[in-house]
């Protein structure tokens, strides 16, 4: 029988034992699961990066995958612990604090339960500072074992969930105005403008008063020069061939960008 | 049949191939094992952090887990290579240099063997600099395969094992005096004072002449302010809500802390 | 049945979701595979380190392992996507850009195919910037599932593959002249001079006008002092007992080193 997959996305970093402890707890309850790290290096408590990363990663996993997301500045407060069931049969488990914004926006309809049934926690009384270990990991392990979703706790309305106030791109007379939504480890700058809006058109990018020309891929530009490209996830991206656009331009998350047409 | 778990805790970092090579060696001998990383970012040759991390992680794994610990400044010298069998049936494999101090202190009784049987090594003659690959990983893989513990080498007395000289907390007329035993990736400061000593009492922390008030969890304190809390592993911890206590206070491992009562 | 192993070696880093996405794609196609990370922290676009690391790691894995290597500055250009079959039955999958130099040099005879059959890609039309996800990971997953190597695409001659121009050591009247080929996370300096050339001889190292004496292992030298040693992979290595030789000497990849005999 094929093993179920549980993925982990956190801001724990890899220096401490916290990620290992999540895996220990899951293995104790359900040793026959595959655990896959999406990333543990979300900047501490950065829910925007967490939502972007989870939303960009989940389309590449099997439909019955169980996703744990733990970026949880409000742990131990009255923020809810939730599990989301998608129409495809995947589950998203974590705090109700906006970390699942991209997931909620992706699926027209989801079913959500508050994790109130302590039978599926690590112990009756969770710690006040580590619900990843005490609630989210055990619930994921039990779900992978086949317990019923309805057993986890009461239904809560989809509309009650917390969503991050994401900026949308706007089509204006000058072109499409968007913002930087992510910058990756290579220094590539990912905007929130979908690449299909420039398909078949003559376009260029203006950012911080610099004009950047589009290319099909990195290596079509000269070494060390800026280029615009449609990213592998379908967004307008700014990069440097063989270099780091973030270092070259010195921009920040949320900075504005304009796509111009001719 | 449920797969056995082998965990890894090292100071190898993740830049080089050393962790991958350990996993290759294990898989060659026993492909049907689950390998879980606890951490590979113990500060180079820091046995105190290694012992703290291993001791804090193992209670969350299944009872028959096999733990490899490799922080090994004396590799190739006459320090012993050992395997420890706990009463629960778990094994701890690595150098006899203090890395297992917290494990030895946890279990009243353990059985220890020196790893002298080269039949369970990677080759007859191990390298002088990488016993993780040549001795510890293969021994763990064979144990997971079911070879007898008694086959690994001669028994050695528990009392002969090397233990780190850990500082204990002391109850004084002013309160409980302890030290900082670990600082995590979030900048949380973990002391060596057990949280159950303050349960139900009115307490506060004094460190570097600063008074810090206790809270139930991080988010009960104002953003950016210091608080004391009982950590998820049960120790008195100093943290900053939404921030980094280590950066704010500039303290070091071993620095003194006082818990006062009123 | 024993599970097949797919290993990953990239310059993606662990901050972003790219490694997790590779694992998702593999799991979607073939959930019953074991995925092992060799490293994801090859310096961005450094093919020399990638080739060294892959060549040093693969001898420790089972003979039927499938290796994915993705350091790919020319992605989306006309560089070929290839799969190499070794005489032992292992596969190496990635770009034809020199990343497999050490593999090609190791095996006298290999069989190579260009990955042109889009049936084994993630979709008909791969992105221009992420062939790891769109070609290499799916091809590896299908190979692990048992599809025929001959199905992947046309044979291409071994001689046509791109190889990095590696510097060899030279035996001179003064001794053996070599270069630094790798520096690890501990600051150990790995040269390209095989350790078996000094076996049973009286030797020492000269680098940047400093004479360094050989030792059997790190701890035979005083704390903080330089030593030369035969590395665990069989190369002449320069290290500091309990310290970092790279920081102490301030050298770079490719810098010259001399082994002298007396």
């Amino acid at each position: 029988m094929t093993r179920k997959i549980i993925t982990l996305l956190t801001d724990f970093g890899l220096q401490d034992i916290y990620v290992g402890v999540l895996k220990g707890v899951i293995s104790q309850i359900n040793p026959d699961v595959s655990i896959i790290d999406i990333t543990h290096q979300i900047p501490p408590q950065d829910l925007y990066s967490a939502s972007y990363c989870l939303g960009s990663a989940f389309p590449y996993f099997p439909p019955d995958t169980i996703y744990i997301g733990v970026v949880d500045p409000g742990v131990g407060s009255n923020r809810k612990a939730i599990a989301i069931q998608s129409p495809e049969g995947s589950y998203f488990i974590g705090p109700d604090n906006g970390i699942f914004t991209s997931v909620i926006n992706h699926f027209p309809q989801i079913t959500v339960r508050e994790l109130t049934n302590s039978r599926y926690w690590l112990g009756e009384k969770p710690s006040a500072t580590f619900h990843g270990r005490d609630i989210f990991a055990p619930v994921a392990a039990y779900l992978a074992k086949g317990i019923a979703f309805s057993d986890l706790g009461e239904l809560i309305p989809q509309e009650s969930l917390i969503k991050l106030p994401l900026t949308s791109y706007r089509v204006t007379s000058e072109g499409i105005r968007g913002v930087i939504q992510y910058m990756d480890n290579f220094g590539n700058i990912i905007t929130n403008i979908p690449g299909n809006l420039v398909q078949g058109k003559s376009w260029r990018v203006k950012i911080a008063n610099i004009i950047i020309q589009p290319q099909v891929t990195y290596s079509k530009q000269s070494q060390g020069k800026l280029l615009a490209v449609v990213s592998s996830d379908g967004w307008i991206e700014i990069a440097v061939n063989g270099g780091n656009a973030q270092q070259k331009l010195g921009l920040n998350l949320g900075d504005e960008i304009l796509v111009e047409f001719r």
Side-chain angles (χ1 to χ4, degrees), chain A:
Chain A
M1 200 197 68
T2 286
R3 303 199 304 163
K4 281 259 188 182
I5 292 171
I6 294 178
T7 74
L8 306 177
L9 178 143
T10 77
D11 63 352
F12 294 173
L14 293 170
Q15 180 193 312
D16 301 309
I17 62 169
Y18 305 133
V19 172
V21 165
L22 291 188
K23 295 179 182 175
V25 168
I26 291 170
S27 303
Q28 234 184 77
I29 295 167
N30 186 347
D32 293 313
V33 88
S34 266
I35 306 173
I36 294 182
D37 301 304
I38 295 181
T39 178
H40 297 289
Q41 298 188 354
I42 299 293
Q45 314 185 338
D46 178 351
L47 292 166
Y48 286 86
S49 291
S51 169
Y52 171 79
C53 286
L54 188 55
S56 304
F58 82 78
Y60 296 100
F61 282 84
D64 61 347
T65 297
I66 299 167
Y67 303 86
I68 297 176
V70 196
V71 175
D72 197 7
V75 61
S77 71
N78 59 359
R79 71 99 186 89
K80 293 191 184 81
I82 58 171
I84 296 173
Q85 185 185 41
S86 83
E88 301 168 349
S90 55
Y91 294 97
F92 297 85
I93 297 168
D96 177 25
N97 62 9
I99 191 174
F100 298 126
T101 302
S102 58
V103 172
I104 299 166
N105 288 343
H106 178 88
F107 293 109
Q109 210 186 336
I110 52 178
T111 313
V112 190
R113 291 186 181 272
E114 188 175 355
L115 305 176
T116 49
N117 187 350
S118 63
R119 191 172 153 188
Y120 301 114
W121 298 355
L122 188 59
E124 284 289 314
K125 202 170 170 306
S127 72
T129 55
F130 196 3
H131 287 187
R133 178 192 71 190
D134 298 338
I135 299 179
F136 306 134
V139 162
Y142 281 114
L143 269 180
K145 230 177 167 172
I147 68 135
F149 181 53
S150 56
D151 253 19
L152 296 178
E154 294 302 302
L155 282 174
I156 57 177
Q158 174 172 353
E159 301 74 45
S160 77
L161 296 183
I162 304 229
K163 284 172 63 176
L164 301 173
L166 295 181
T167 308
S168 298
Y169 66 87
R170 289 174 299 127
V171 180
T172 72
S173 58
E174 293 163 295
I176 307 172
R177 293 198 168 278
V179 297
I180 298 174
Q181 68 168 329
Y182 189 71
M183 297 196 282
D184 76 12
N185 188 45
F186 290 92
N188 298 323
I189 294 170
I190 317 290
T191 75
N192 68 342
I193 302 177
N196 58 17
L197 299 182
V198 302
Q199 219 167 7
K201 296 187 181 163
S202 178
W203 62 286
R204 62 185 200 178
V205 164
K206 195 170 172 186
I207 189 161
N209 283 317
I210 297 170
I211 302 289
I212 303 170
Q213 299 296 336
Q215 303 289 348
V216 177
T217 190
Y218 305 134
S219 56
K220 296 291 180 190
Q221 176 58 289
S222 319
Q223 194 76 7
K225 299 286 185 198
L226 286 160
L227 64 136
V229 69
V230 177
S231 84
S232 59
D233 286 318
W235 305 104
I236 301 293
E237 168 185 333
I238 297 156
V240 166
N241 181 23
N244 187 308
Q246 182 179 359
Q247 280 171 17
K248 196 170 186 108
L249 292 172
L251 298 168
N252 296 307
L253 285 186
D255 281 359
E256 293 206 351
I257 178 185
L258 176 66
V259 169
E260 297 179 332
F261 298 98
R262 274 171 299 179

